[in-house]
Amino acid sequence: MNKFPVLEIFGPTIQGEGMVVGRKTMFVRTAGCDYSCSWCDSAFTWDGSAKDEIQKLTAPEIINALDQRGGDYFDHVTISGGNPALLKNLNELIDSLHEKGCEVALETQGSKWQAWFLTIDDLTISPKPPSSKMSTNWDVLDRIIAKLEEAGRTTHTSLKVVIFNDEDLEYAKQVHKRYPNLAFYVQVGNEALDESDDQNLALHLLDQYEWLIDRVMHSSDLNHVRVLPQVHALLWGNRRGV
Ligand SMILES: C[S@@+](CC[C@H](N)C(=O)[O-])C[C@H]1O[C@@H](n2cnc3c(N)ncnc32)[C@H](O)[C@@H]1O
Ligand SMILES: Nc1nc2[nH]cc(C(=O)O)c2c(=O)[nH]1
Ligand code: SF4
Ligand SMILES: [Mg+2]
């Protein structure tokens, strides 16, 4: 049976971001990423700092760990990372979760395609703006979005761009214009990843949220758009596993 590198299993909590914000969910966070975003809030998944915590688990073992933690208190599981789209056989986990009556969400950056994307209930694709120092492979992203559209998965899919500055906002406009059929979200970037005072962080992030709302309100290229903060960061700061 295939084993998957898992760094965290936590919840129940709320989905703090994007298309199903507020949804009660469990999280499975896989290790490993093909990107290294300058502001990654989950860098421990790929920078080696948590390598001793990585567990290689089969799908039944992951489900067992979810049940141990979540009991009867969940019917939705969000798979994030790192980039879970590096894991070719993740359909084994997704299918088993569906069989036990769970909805499944996935967070990925749109750098890799997997056929099992077509089975994800809430698929968030989050291309990375210039502030990340990553560069978007538009051919790959075009092909991913085309396959999802051809398969009729549009309503199960959204795009989410994290914004730190005006250049990022220009990038977001480009993404939204290129894929007008997909629900589009812009999200407040958190650059204060070392802030340990939750109240300071929340006040700062609310300021950034207000800045982002103001920018979007004044842009005719960003009309059919939702603007959101990371709700979990407002509530629980920079800690892991929330
Ligand atoms: C940690 S990533 C993991 C999934 C996938 N690698 C991706 O980037 O989409 C989950 C989400 O957190 C966002 N994110 C990461 N660091 C962030 C930060 N400092 N501020 C706001 N959002 C951030 C990413 O853009 C992505 O949408
Ligand atoms: N509550 C909560 N919501 C989230 N939405 C996306 C997350 C992620 O790290 O992928 C995340 C997370 O880590 N916690
Ligand atoms: S793609 Fe996602 S997990 Fe990977 S470095 Fe960027 S934000 Fe972090
Ligand atoms: Mg996160």
Side-chain angles (χ1 to χ4, degrees), residues 46-57:
W46 51 265
D47 68 5
S49 60
K51 64 175 188 310
D52 298 340
E53 296 168 53
I54 299 171
Q55 295 192 72
K56 302 280 275 183
L57 302 178

Side-chain angles (χ1 to χ4, degrees), residues 17 29 32-35 37-43 45-46 79-84 106-110 124-129 160-164 187-193 205 230 232 238:
E17 307 177 12
R29 191 181 300 286
C33 194
D34 46 323
Y35 278 15
C37 299
S38 63
W39 37 251
C40 179
D41 64 8
S42 305
T45 60
W46 51 265
I79 306 172
S80 186
N83 187 5
L106 187 93
E107 302 271 339
T108 188
Q109 65 264 38
T124 295
I125 299 178
S126 182
K128 296 298 176 262
K160 177 176 77 185
V161 179
V162 175
I163 308 291
F164 285 82
Q187 170 166 305
V188 175
N190 173 14
E191 82 288 344
L193 297 172
L205 291 174
Q230 289 179 296
H232 54 102
N238 284 315

